[in-house]
Amino acid sequence: MSEVKVSPSWRQAVHDFLAEFKYGDIVPHSWLVERFGLPVPDEHMSAVAFQARQFAWLASIEGFKAALLHDHQVLLQSVRGEGYRWCPPADQTQATLQEFERDAGRLFRHAGSRLKNVRHTELTYDERRVNMDAQAKLSLLRGTVRKQLR
């Protein structure tokens, strides 16, 4: 009798992951590619096929990570160039806050840059005031977030 497989493939990968890995283990990208049933990129793969593979990868990895987090309270941390680390529960709070601080900082810098780099000479007085108010609000919000995270 053949083994029953769950569909989509990332759902089966969740079951396989829970059976094969433990806290602190790194799940290699190659393991995930195999479980997701994705082709391995090579020099013969067309740009269109590669792009389709990348979209399939993103859909699979996001579904996989979300199912682990929401259904099994498992947080996966990206390990650049290797795969994903199963974050132990004792580390999960700090890891989440560190990632939030990094992402929030990036968002604040991005929004600040967009608000500052406006052609002010082409704005009316009221439009300039709205822009300056937005910059002040963003700065205040950034400071408040920093204080609360300390």
Side-chain angles (χ1 to χ4, degrees):
M1 182 174 227
S2 65
E3 183 179 331
V4 175
K5 294 283 184 180
V6 179
S7 186
S9 58
W10 59 262
R11 286 199 185 277
Q12 181 63 47
V14 168
H15 296 290
D16 296 346
F17 169 87
L18 293 169
E20 294 179 37
F21 294 95
K22 62 186 184 316
Y23 297 142
D25 285 352
I26 293 178
V27 184
H29 288 126
S30 58
W31 186 92
L32 293 164
V33 167
E34 181 182 320
R35 293 308 186 287
F36 297 160
L38 299 173
V40 176
D42 61 20
E43 66 273 359
H44 303 296
M45 183 177 273
S46 71
V48 171
F50 181 78
Q51 187 177 35
R53 180 203 180 275
Q54 291 301 94
F55 284 127
W57 166 263
L58 287 174
S60 296
I61 195 65
E62 290 306 315
F64 178 73
K65 288 168 41 180
L68 283 171
L69 183 63
H70 297 287
D71 298 341
H72 304 282
Q73 293 71 50
V74 170
L75 175 68
L76 292 180
Q77 293 178 290
S78 181
V79 178
R80 186 177 283 261
E82 292 184 49
Y84 293 86
R85 176 180 169 265
W86 183 346
C87 185
D91 300 344
Q92 192 166 334
T93 301
Q94 191 60 33
T96 300
L97 289 175
Q98 285 176 344
E99 185 176 336
F100 174 76
E101 286 183 60
R102 184 188 70 233
D103 291 348
R106 186 179 313 132
L107 287 171
F108 280 119
R109 284 189 301 278
H110 180 70
S113 177
R114 292 176 71 177
L115 288 172
K116 289 176 189 169
N117 291 294
V118 173
R119 292 182 177 179
H120 294 279
T121 58
E122 296 178 23
L123 298 178
T124 66
Y125 174 79
D126 288 337
E127 292 167 337
R128 280 194 298 271
R129 187 176 46 76
V130 167
N131 179 266
M132 295 302 289
D133 287 348
Q135 287 184 53
K137 286 177 187 176
L138 183 66
S139 180
L140 179 65
L141 182 58
R142 184 178 191 176
T144 302
V145 168
R146 278 186 177 162
K147 282 182 187 176
Q148 291 299 316
L149 290 173
R150 288 187 183 135

